[in-house]
Amino acid sequence: MIAVDTITNSDGQHLIHVLPDEIKFFEGFLKKKGIIWKEEHKEASVISLSKSLTGYIKTPKRIINIEPKYKEISLSHILRLYNFVFSYNDVQDDELLDINDSSQSQQIVKSFLRKLRENISIGILQEYHPTNEHMKFLKGNVNYVKTYMNSIKLKQNPVKTNVYTLSPNIEINRLIVWALQLISNSGNNRFEAIELLDYFRYVEPVTENASDYLSRIHFNSKNIRYKQVASEAALIIDSLYYDELRGNAGGESFLINFDTLFEKFVQKILTELSEEREFSIWKETKVFGVEYLNGYPLSKNEYKPDILYKFNPEDEERNYQPSAVAVIDVKNKAHNVFKNADIYQILVYNQLLYAKKSVLIYPSFFHKKPTVFTIDNDRIPVPEVYSVFIDIAAPNAESFKASIKNLIEDLYEVLED
């Protein structure tokens, strides 16, 4: 029987005690995930993972469950945030926002394969694509000059034409194929994945960030039934890991960064669901200071607020410097609001952008009204920092959408006060 260990957050880190037979596995796993295994930790057979990570790791010896940093939620709640960020558009996608056991990480692959089979039984998605052909008969958009020259040369297929043919090489199927190729390298589901790949011959896999690729796909009445399949395919591509080691546990692992996901979640709400659409996000950082030595620049510091309200890139009243009515920063700290470092950070953002309001957005596990932190110092031009919360523990799609609505309403109440 496979051993199962559950790792909870300890002093801001997930600590994993590595067994002797797991060293080779973790070397490959951590390298793939871009996580540095410090030499002193390796010698002590210990791995320290950031508290922002959650999921599970299957080594050749055991399954290690890494709990979310809040006991009030499960991994299903975090996967719902993922679905909202990268797949959700409107009410027809409400299934993606419900919480159920089948959305647990250990079931992602099984759920993906099951739903894929169900949809294949109805039909594989295909679209007409133009292709250049040489044939014997006139058909499609014929190039008559080339056709005439080929006839003079007595070629066997003289007609040079452009015809539309059905092809499965479309965006959704490209995600599916890459996910199937990854699964085919694992131990538990590899044969089923190899079998399903036969349905998608001549489909080229995605070669970029799958979550970003998914967010650009246009879903309509013809392909909407594949939406959850595509979402799970992207999640498998970006977050699952398979190694070549063969053991009882298979080597399949899943890790997701909860902090980064929560930030993207709030950004999508404010930039896409707010009625006024006056929230914006910088694509790149901006310089706010330079270090000099004897008049020569050595280094520079940059900044990038999470969200800006009514941003003006060239404010006439501020000597054409950038400004914003409010700066908003997203902090995944449900139990540690108004930490000093966060206040210092947003006060700097506020002054750099001549803002009138500073807001920190936090997760919560019920509807929590905004609060305000006031700094007792007359020299600070905007001494108030507001907190606004969003309930991420809602039990179903309807209550989750109500939480999103509450966030928007509470935030506008603060901004327009």
Side-chain angles (χ1 to χ4, degrees):
M1 186 173 180
I2 301 172
V4 179
D5 293 333
T6 299
I7 307 296
T8 56
N9 188 264
S10 175
D11 296 328
Q13 297 290 317
H14 298 293
L15 295 178
I16 300 174
H17 294 280
V18 181
L19 303 177
D21 293 342
E22 295 176 332
I23 293 176
K24 185 178 179 181
F25 166 84
F26 274 113
E27 286 176 341
F29 173 75
L30 296 175
K31 182 178 180 181
K32 180 73 175 180
K33 289 295 181 181
I35 300 172
I36 298 174
W37 194 0
K38 294 181 179 179
E39 197 60 38
E40 60 267 29
H41 289 173
K42 188 173 182 179
E43 291 177 0
S45 299
V46 172
I47 293 173
S48 176
L49 295 179
S50 168
K51 64 179 179 181
S52 64
L53 297 176
T54 185
Y56 69 96
I57 301 173
K58 287 185 178 179
T59 78
K61 289 293 182 181
R62 56 182 170 153
I63 299 173
I64 303 171
N65 290 319
I66 301 174
E67 295 292 319
K69 60 181 176 178
Y70 308 129
K71 66 181 187 312
E72 292 87 350
I73 61 171
S74 68
L75 190 56
S76 296
H77 295 87
I78 296 173
L79 294 180
R80 173 169 62 186
L81 299 186
Y82 180 94
N83 287 335
F84 178 87
V85 170
F86 298 108
S87 300
Y88 187 83
N89 284 324
D90 50 41
V91 66
Q92 67 181 354
D93 299 327
D94 278 3
E95 180 186 0
L96 298 172
L97 305 183
D98 280 322
I99 295 293
N100 53 70
D101 292 339
S102 64
S103 65
Q104 290 291 336
S105 62
Q106 291 89 337
Q107 301 298 323
I108 291 171
V109 173
K110 290 182 180 179
S111 174
F112 166 71
L113 295 174
R114 175 178 55 78
K115 290 169 186 169
L116 179 57
R117 278 193 178 278
E118 291 172 356
N119 279 284
I120 287 176
S121 67
I122 300 172
I124 295 174
L125 294 177
Q126 299 184 85
E127 291 179 1
Y128 281 99
H129 292 279
T131 56
N132 292 318
E133 299 283 350
H134 286 87
M135 55 182 60
K136 294 181 179 180
F137 308 102
L138 296 178
K139 182 180 179 182
N141 186 14
V142 178
N143 185 326
Y144 288 98
V145 174
K146 288 286 186 181
T147 299
Y148 176 72
M149 296 299 295
N150 290 337
S151 298
I152 293 176
K153 297 176 182 178
L154 301 177
K155 289 193 174 182
Q156 186 175 3
N157 296 297
V159 178
K160 175 81 164 55
T161 185
N162 187 279
V163 296
Y164 280 83
T165 57
L166 270 177
S167 170
N169 190 27
I170 63 175
E171 293 172 323
I172 294 174
N173 290 343
R174 295 183 70 197
L175 274 176
I176 290 170
V177 166
W178 193 6
L180 287 173
Q181 287 180 349
L182 287 174
I183 298 169
S184 68
N185 293 324
S186 71
N188 296 334
N189 303 286
R190 64 188 306 266
F191 294 111
E192 185 176 2
I194 292 171
E195 177 189 346
L196 290 171
L197 277 170
D198 280 340
Y199 290 97
F200 299 94
R201 294 180 181 179
Y202 312 115
V203 176
E204 301 171 0
V206 176
T207 57
E208 58 182 287
N209 181 283
S211 299
D212 290 342
Y213 186 85
L214 172 65
S215 66
R216 299 196 299 270
I217 294 178
H218 174 67
F219 288 91
N220 52 42
S221 58
K222 294 181 179 179
N223 62 18
I224 193 65
R225 62 188 174 90
Y226 269 90
K227 190 162 193 177
Q228 192 154 2
V229 173
S231 180
E232 291 181 349
L235 186 60
I236 288 168
I237 293 165
D238 285 347
S239 302
L240 281 176
Y241 165 83
Y242 297 96
D243 72 280
E244 298 177 354
L245 300 176
R246 290 288 177 261
N248 293 331
E252 170 195 313
S253 303
F254 168 87
L255 279 183
I256 194 165
N257 190 309
F258 184 16
D259 289 357
T260 301
L261 182 61
F262 181 69
E263 179 182 319
K264 290 183 177 181
F265 167 61
V266 175
Q267 287 177 335
K268 179 173 181 176
I269 291 173
L270 298 185
T271 57
E272 297 185 20
L273 301 185
S274 60
E275 291 185 6
E276 295 184 24
R277 302 293 174 91
E278 293 182 306
F279 297 95
S280 59
I281 302 168
W282 285 351
K283 292 183 179 180
E284 298 177 351
T285 59
K286 298 186 184 297
V287 176
F288 76 87
V290 180
E291 179 188 6
Y292 291 91
L293 176 63
N294 296 328
Y296 293 96
L298 294 179
S299 64
K300 61 184 178 181
N301 285 17
E302 299 177 334
Y303 75 113
K304 183 183 178 185
D306 292 333
I307 306 165
L308 296 174
Y309 178 62
K310 294 185 178 180
F311 174 63
N312 185 350
E314 294 182 349
D315 191 340
E316 294 181 13
E317 298 180 3
R318 304 293 183 183
N319 196 27
Y320 295 95
Q321 294 295 308
S323 70
V325 171
V327 290
I328 301 167
D329 227 39
V330 182
K331 301 297 181 185
N332 191 11
K333 301 176 182 179
H335 303 305
N336 295 285
V337 303
F338 293 126
K339 299 291 286 185
N340 281 359
D342 300 336
I343 293 174
Y344 302 155
Q345 181 186 42
I346 202 163
L347 286 179
V348 172
Y349 291 167
N350 182 290
Q351 294 192 43
L352 288 170
L353 291 163
Y354 309 97
K356 298 176 182 177
K357 292 284 177 71
S358 301
V359 182
L360 297 170
I361 295 182
Y362 298 102
S364 65
F365 314 111
F366 54 89
H367 183 208
K368 201 171 177 182
K369 295 299 290 182
T371 62
V372 59
F373 182 91
T374 302
I375 301 170
D376 187 16
N377 192 313
D378 295 336
R379 290 175 294 178
I380 296 178
V382 182
E384 298 87 11
V385 179
Y386 292 86
S387 67
V388 179
F389 303 88
I390 179 165
D391 176 11
I392 60 172
N396 53 49
E398 286 304 314
S399 57
F400 185 69
K401 290 192 294 182
S403 298
I404 292 173
K405 181 180 178 182
N406 288 335
L407 169 67
I408 296 172
E409 291 177 351
D410 290 344
L411 181 57
Y412 272 117
E413 182 180 324
V414 168
L415 296 175
E416 297 172 359
D417 182 21

